Every structure is written in structure tokens, then in C-alpha cells.
């Protein structure tokens, strides 16, 4: 069964600190992996999309990595800010119909001052 | 630049009532989607429309109907609402459903409570 597991479920860090969120998947055949940021009460917004051949992609202070062999991805946030407080969702696409997106449950990040 | 617009943002229904959630996108996208998001679960696809004139069931279509009114608009209808349909509903759009790395743009969500 295609699944996406994220850890930790929630995380609290101090402003200015770095953190790493994890995503493990069992989706096959793999097409691409996406990270979304969802602020409370808002819709998800895309941070990165990585295909099989990409192992690192950055978007400002966000850096995503992908290891397609171990089926793991991480999202590293550098020098966190209060505005980084949100849910981060890992989404994996299967290489079939373009609608085959499998969503993780998300990691809730709280950045405190 | 509005992107994906959903209405209403909040709605309370009684069991058995019907309602329609509206969605419009101004990005000239071909594909549109309806998802629901429940606590402790990932987003789940209800219905999608790969292109104007076509609609297909997603993972959790029971109790819902959709209409792709034109290229811009995609509505979701609950014919007889049930408490299990209490959820946050998101509309999304992408340029092409079959595009490998097609960006998915979400609306702000419609929060529905069924009593």
C-alpha cells in the first residue's frame, strides 16, 4: 500500500534554531516528492518539488533532500523564524495518473521567541 | 492575483441538508481538484477534473457530486449532508493533471460543520 509517514508529529523550537523534518514513503512507482507549508487556517503552499534524479533542492531557508534508494526525504529549516510556525506536509506522487498524490499527515512546527 | 478562490469559507449544516461549495481559478489551469482534510489524516482526494468536460472519482467520492462548469469553475455538492462530512474542504488546480512536476495551487479552504 502506498504510504507516506512523517516524523515527528510535532516539534517546538526556539527562534533562530535549525530543525529537520523527516518523511519516509513506500510509494511505487515513484515520480516526485513535494513539501508543502500550511499555515493555520490557510491552504497548503508548495515549497519544493523533487524528481527521482534530484537529491537536494533549496527554497530560501528551506532545503529538502531526497534519497530515492532508502525512500526518505528531509526538510531542513535554517535560522527559524516565528513565521515558520506551520504544518509541513510531505506529498509523494506515483508515476501513474497525475492525480495520484499521497499526502502525509504533516509535522506541526511551533517556533517560539 | 487571486489564484484559487473558494466560497463559502464557513458553513454549518443540519444532517440531511444540501449545499454546494464553489471554486474558481484564474490561472487558466486545465485540471481542478477537491480534497478534504480531517484531523490526524492527510488530505484525501474526493473528485478531480483533468480537463474541462471531464470529472473522475478520487479516493473518497461517496456522498459528493461535482460539476466542472467551465474551465475556471469546479463545484462540489453535498446532496444530503452527514456528520461524517464535517471537514475542511480544499479546492486545488494545476496546469495539467498528467504533468510529472505540475505545481498544485490550493484555495484557502471551506470549513463545513454538519450537526
Amino acid at each position: 500500500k502506498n504510504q507516506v509517514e512523517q516524523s515527528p508529529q510535532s516539534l517546538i523550537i526556539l527562534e533562530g534554531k535549525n530543525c529537520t523534518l523527516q518523511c519516509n514513503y513506500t510509494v511505487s512507482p515513484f515520480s516526485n516528492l513535494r513539501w508543502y507549508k500550511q499555515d493555520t487556517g490557510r491552504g497548503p503552499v508548495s515549497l519544493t518539488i523533487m524528481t527521482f534524479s534530484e537529491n537536494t533542492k533549496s527554497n530560501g531557508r528551506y532545503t529538502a533532500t531526497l534519497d530515492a534508494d532508502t525512500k526518505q526525504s528531509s526538510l531542513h529549516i535554517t535560522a527559524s523564524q516565528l513565521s515558520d510556525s506551520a504544518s509541513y506536509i510531505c506529498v509523494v506522487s506515483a508515476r501513474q495518473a497525475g492525480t495520484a498524490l499521497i499526502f502525509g499527515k504533516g509535522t506541526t512546527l511551533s517556533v517560539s521567541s | 492575483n487571486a489564484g484559487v478562490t473558494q466560497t463559502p469559507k464557513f458553513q454549518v449544516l443540519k444532517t440531511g441538508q444540501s449545499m454546494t461549495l464553489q471554486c474558481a481559478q484564474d490561472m487558466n489551469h486545465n485540471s481542478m481538484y477537491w480534497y478534504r482534510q480531517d484531523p490526524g489524516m492527510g488530505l484525501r482526494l474526493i473528485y478531480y477534473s483533468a480537463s474541462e468536460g471531464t470529472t473522475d472519482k478520487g479516493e473518497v467520492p461517496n456522498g459528493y457530486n461535482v460539476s466542472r462548469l467551465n474551465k475556471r469553475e469546479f463545484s462540489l455538492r453535498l446532496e444530503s449532508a452527514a456528520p461524517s462530512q464535517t471537514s475542511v474542504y480544499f479546492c486545488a488546480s494545476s496546469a495539467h493533471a498528467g504533468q510529472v512536476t505540475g505545481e498544485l495551487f490550493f484555495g484557502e479552504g471551506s470549513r463545513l460543520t454538519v450537526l
Side-chain angles (χ1 to χ4, degrees), chain A residues 5 7 11 13 20 34 41 43 66 71-72 88 99 105-106:
Chain A
E5 301 288 340
S7 62
L11 182 62
I13 62 172
T20 300
R34 310 159 184 236
L66 173 64
K71 299 186 177 181
Q72 296 180 325
Y88 292 84
T99 57
K105 296 178 182 179

Side-chain angles (χ1 to χ4, degrees), chain B residues 27-79:
Chain B
M27 296 173 281
N28 200 35
H29 284 168
N30 289 294
S31 305
M32 299 185 72
Y33 314 80
W34 277 106
Y35 289 91
R36 61 178 289 174
Q37 186 175 41
D38 300 297
M41 302 186 73
L43 276 85
R44 292 180 293 169
L45 182 65
I46 304 170
Y47 270 94
Y48 68 98
S49 171
S51 60
E52 186 179 356
T54 70
T55 61
D56 284 289
K57 295 178 180 179
E59 180 185 356
V60 288
N62 291 345
Y64 305 96
N65 286 302
V66 291
S67 295
R68 184 75 183 265
L69 304 172
N70 49 55
K71 190 172 185 179
R72 289 187 64 248
E73 299 173 289
F74 189 38
S75 64
L76 178 72
R77 182 161 179 84
L78 287 70
E79 291 290 353

Side-chain angles (χ1 to χ4, degrees), chain A residues 13 27 36 78 86 89:
Chain A
I13 62 172
V27 177
Y36 284 86
T78 303
I89 303 172

Side-chain angles (χ1 to χ4, degrees), chain A residues 1-4 24-32 52 68-69 71 92-97 100-102:
Chain A
K1 181 181 177 183
N2 288 333
Q3 285 187 315
V4 175
N24 296 336
Y25 61 92
T26 57
V27 177
S28 181
F30 174 83
S31 175
N32 61 75
F52 184 88
D69 291 333
K71 299 186 177 181
V92 180
S93 175
R95 195 179 339 119
Q96 45 192 64
L101 297 178
I102 299 93

